[in-house]
Amino acid sequence: FQSLAYSSELDSFELSLRNRWMAPECRYQGSWLAGVRFIKLDEDLLYQTFTPRGRMNLLTNTNNSLTGFQLGGDVWVTPLPGLRFGAEAKAGIYGNHMNASNTIETTAPAFFNQNLKANDAAFVGELDIQMTYRLNYHWNIRAGYNFLFMEGLALAVDNFNPDPPNVF
C-alpha cells in the first residue's frame, strides 16, 4: 500500500503607498503604488508505504519567507454608470529565506533527517482582472480572476527525495 498527501499554505501581507488619478470625464481612473510585501509559503508532502516487511513515512517540508519591494498600478474604465472593468498588476524582487527538510521514519529503529537552509532572490508578479456592478449605494457585485506567479522558491515536490536509504 502506498499513499501520497500534499498541503500548502500561502499568507501575504503588504503595506503600499497608492496615488490615484482620474480622467476629466471620470470614465477612466487608476492608480500607481509602491510598497513592501511579506509572503510566506509552506508546503508538506507525505509519502507513506506499507509492505509485509515494514512501513516507511517520508515527509518533505518546505518553508519560504519572502520580503521585498513591489511596484504596481491599476486602471479602471466605466463604460456605463455602475459598471466598471479593471486590471491591477504588481511585481517585485524579494529576498527569500528558505528551509527544506526530508524526514524518514521506518518500523525498524531507523530515523533519517536531511535539512537545507538557503537565502536567494525571488520574483513575484500578480495580475488581477475584475468587473464590478453597483446595485445600489450599499451593494456591489464583483467578479474576477487573480493570477500569482512566483519564481525562486523551495517547493516540496522539487525537494522530495525519490531515493531514500534502504530501510527494509
Side-chain angles (χ1 to χ4, degrees), residues 69-111:
F69 182 75
Q70 69 178 3
L71 294 172
D74 66 349
V75 175
W76 289 88
V77 61
T78 307
L80 299 170
L83 180 65
R84 296 183 345 146
F85 295 96
E88 180 177 36
K90 299 179 208 172
I93 303 295
Y94 295 79
N96 185 9
H97 176 70
M98 52 191 141
N99 300 317
S101 68
N102 282 309
T103 305
I104 302 170
E105 282 182 71
T106 65
T107 50
F111 181 82

Side-chain angles (χ1 to χ4, degrees), residues 11-134:
D11 296 312
S12 176
F13 306 95
E14 63 183 89
L15 180 63
S16 297
L17 174 66
R18 186 179 292 264
N19 187 15
R20 298 201 178 274
W21 59 268
M22 185 178 300
E25 72 278 356
C26 300
R27 180 168 284 199
Y28 301 100
Q29 55 186 320
S31 67
W32 62 265
L33 65 87
V36 295
R37 187 173 188 179
F38 173 76
I39 299 173
K40 184 153 181 65
L41 175 66
D42 297 333
E43 292 186 321
D44 289 319
L45 181 66
L46 176 62
Y47 170 72
Q48 295 178 312
T49 183
F50 300 93
T51 68
R53 297 186 329 189
R55 69 167 176 82
M56 179 183 72
N57 295 333
L58 195 155
L59 175 65
T60 301
N61 173 267
T62 59
N63 307 100
N64 295 276
S65 296
L66 293 88
T67 305
F69 182 75
Q70 69 178 3
L71 294 172
D74 66 349
V75 175
W76 289 88
V77 61
T78 307
L80 299 170
L83 180 65
R84 296 183 345 146
F85 295 96
E88 180 177 36
K90 299 179 208 172
I93 303 295
Y94 295 79
N96 185 9
H97 176 70
M98 52 191 141
N99 300 317
S101 68
N102 282 309
T103 305
I104 302 170
E105 282 182 71
T106 65
T107 50
F111 181 82
F112 301 95
N113 196 3
Q114 302 168 328
N115 290 311
L116 171 68
K117 292 183 180 186
N119 294 310
D120 203 358
F123 172 79
V124 176
E126 183 176 356
L127 175 65
D128 301 333
I129 300 170
Q130 298 181 27
M131 185 256 340
T132 64
Y133 181 71
R134 186 174 194 164

Side-chain angles (χ1 to χ4, degrees), residues 133-152:
Y133 181 71
R134 186 174 194 164
L135 296 173
N136 57 36
Y137 287 107
H138 302 287
W139 292 94
N140 284 335
I141 295 175
R142 182 175 73 172
Y145 285 101
N146 296 342
F147 302 96
L148 183 65
F149 176 79
M150 296 192 284
E151 180 69 35

